[in-house]
Amino acid sequence: MDELDRRILNRLQSDGRCSYADLGRLVGLSVTAVKERLDKLQRNDVLRRYSIIVDEKKVGYGVLAFVFIGIDDPEDCAAFERQMLEIPQVQECHHVTGGFNYLLKVIANDMSRLEDLLLQRIKLPGVVSRSETTIVFSSPKNSPFVDCVANGA
Amino acid sequence: MDELDRRILNRLQSDGRCSYADLGRLVGLSVTAVKERLDKLQRNDVLRRYSIIVDEKKVGYGVLAFVFIGIDDPEDCAAFERQMLEIPQVQECHHVTGGFNYLLKVIANDMSRLEDLLLQRIKLPGVVSRSETTIVFSSPKNSPFVDCVANGA
DNA sequence: AGTGAAAGATGTCCGAA
DNA sequence: TTCGGACATCTTTCACT
């Protein structure tokens, strides 16, 4: 992974359809060289996948929330994680430091749906002992962009 | 936006390079009809952009953290938001409910870089009065996938 | 690791229903 | 909105440096 790979990855994050020819012009390589580099980056799972970015609000998810989860018995953690993997509205589930065990990023159609989701599928009885929900008013910044260039490595 | 659009958006999220022909077969439409729908979804900003998903760890970001920020003077909020927009390592900045004002999602090369980032560019003197940082050990789930189908709308 | 050229697949534009 | 066809562009492979 050199500077050229990083520039290519940055470009594709902002335009996933940028052609090999355009990428080549950007970094000064031929079409074939660019493709070879991307194939290798994909084999090494640096490039996980090509995708699109969808506006959550416009497809019906009006509410975004972060939920801290406390689990007293460490034996329950595996089951909890399995459950989180199955709920599409749970976009992220992080194992974290601090007074709680997990931090979830959750999207829902509206407050009422979020309430249902938390009560029925997330705060599992006998597993989740405590939780703390933070609702997002608005997001001045919400972009999955990973800057591969502005990176000390 | 109907069921067909939603199925197309879901497919493109998991494979951003899926061809119009394949998408057409998936939903029972012609190449042209699929393109026309996607053009419209993009004009309406439902489809924000095509992109790629990069492994943060593999490009050098070994640390992920969530940082709550408290700002006492509401007049300082605009300046704070402007600053967050300029820091690539701040992936998300949410205005939130609860005891703090903002919740940030931050990536950094290592703990030392995170420390520098927080002290020098995020906890602005005279603006940020309190902060609370939660470090992520691991992420059982960390996918920007927005399920457009499993959606009551 | 890099290149150019050829072949096949895909994106894009058009006129029509 | 949808379709099929024609043309331009892109992806992919190959032989070679």
Side-chain angles (χ1 to χ4, degrees):
Chain A
M1 273 249 340
D2 60 9
E3 178 72 13
L4 268 44
D5 284 327
R6 283 191 271 270
R7 297 232 302 271
I8 291 171
L9 291 174
N10 267 13
R11 186 79 171 82
L12 280 175
Q13 281 185 86
S14 41
D15 176 13
R17 283 188 142 187
C18 189
S19 70
Y20 294 144
D22 282 342
L23 292 170
R25 267 184 287 275
L26 189 70
V27 299
L29 285 176
S30 69
V31 168
T32 317
V34 170
K35 177 179 160 41
E36 183 50 44
R37 278 166 177 263
L38 281 168
D39 286 349
K40 181 180 276 188
L41 287 167
Q42 205 156 13
R43 278 196 302 275
N44 297 342
D45 279 317
V46 178
L47 197 180
R48 281 247 185 80
R49 64 166 192 267
Y50 289 80
S51 185
I52 57 169
I53 305 206
V54 165
D55 188 311
E56 300 167 0
K57 299 249 156 102
K58 299 215 169 153
V59 295
Y61 293 106
V63 175
L64 172 60
F66 288 89
V67 184
F68 281 98
I69 296 290
I71 294 177
D72 289 335
D73 187 347
E75 305 241 334
D76 291 330
C77 285
F80 177 77
E81 290 183 17
R82 246 180 283 120
Q83 173 75 356
M84 292 309 103
L85 290 176
E86 284 186 1
I87 305 175
Q89 289 91 339
V90 176
Q91 287 198 294
E92 305 178 16
C93 172
H94 305 283
H95 185 208
V96 295
T97 63
F100 291 91
N101 302 95
Y102 292 97
L103 174 57
L104 311 178
K105 184 179 183 180
V106 180
I107 55 178
N109 290 45
D110 52 41
M111 276 295 178
S112 163
R113 301 286 185 119
L114 178 63
E115 188 181 10
D116 290 348
L117 195 60
L118 287 174
L119 292 177
Q120 292 164 24
R121 305 193 63 195
I122 293 178
K123 292 157 89 166
L124 309 174
V127 172
V128 174
S129 59
R130 299 156 295 125
S131 79
E132 201 169 293
T133 299
T134 298
I135 303 291
V136 172
F137 288 129
S138 64
S139 301
K141 189 173 193 175
N142 192 1
S143 116
F145 192 89
V146 177
D147 195 321
C148 303
V149 173
N151 162 347
Chain B
M1 272 253 333
D2 60 11
E3 178 71 13
L4 269 42
D5 285 327
R6 284 191 273 270
R7 299 231 302 270
I8 290 172
L9 292 174
N10 268 12
R11 187 80 171 81
L12 281 175
Q13 282 184 88
S14 42
D15 176 14
R17 283 187 141 186
C18 188
S19 69
Y20 293 145
D22 282 342
L23 291 170
R25 268 184 287 276
L26 189 70
V27 300
L29 285 175
S30 70
V31 168
T32 319
V34 170
K35 176 177 163 42
E36 183 51 43
R37 278 167 177 260
L38 281 168
D39 285 349
K40 179 181 278 189
L41 287 167
Q42 206 155 15
R43 278 196 302 275
N44 297 342
D45 279 317
V46 179
L47 196 178
R48 282 247 184 80
R49 65 167 190 268
Y50 289 79
S51 185
I52 57 169
I53 308 222
V54 164
D55 188 311
E56 299 166 0
K57 299 249 156 107
K58 299 215 171 157
V59 296
Y61 293 105
V63 175
L64 172 60
F66 288 89
V67 183
F68 281 99
I69 297 289
I71 294 177
D72 289 336
D73 186 347
E75 305 240 334
D76 292 329
C77 285
F80 177 77
E81 289 183 18
R82 246 180 285 119
Q83 172 76 356
M84 293 308 103
L85 290 176
E86 285 186 359
I87 305 176
Q89 288 91 338
V90 175
Q91 287 198 295
E92 304 178 16
C93 172
H94 305 282
H95 186 208
V96 295
T97 62
F100 291 91
N101 302 94
Y102 292 97
L103 175 56
L104 312 178
K105 184 179 185 181
V106 180
I107 56 178
N109 290 45
D110 52 40
M111 275 294 177
S112 164
R113 302 284 185 122
L114 178 63
E115 188 181 8
D116 290 348
L117 195 61
L118 287 175
L119 292 177
Q120 291 165 24
R121 305 191 63 192
I122 294 178
K123 294 157 87 166
L124 308 175
V127 173
V128 174
S129 58
R130 298 157 295 123
S131 79
E132 201 169 295
T133 299
T134 299
I135 304 291
V136 173
F137 288 128
S138 64
S139 301
K141 190 173 192 175
N142 192 2
S143 114
F145 192 90
V146 177
D147 195 320
C148 304
V149 172
N151 163 343

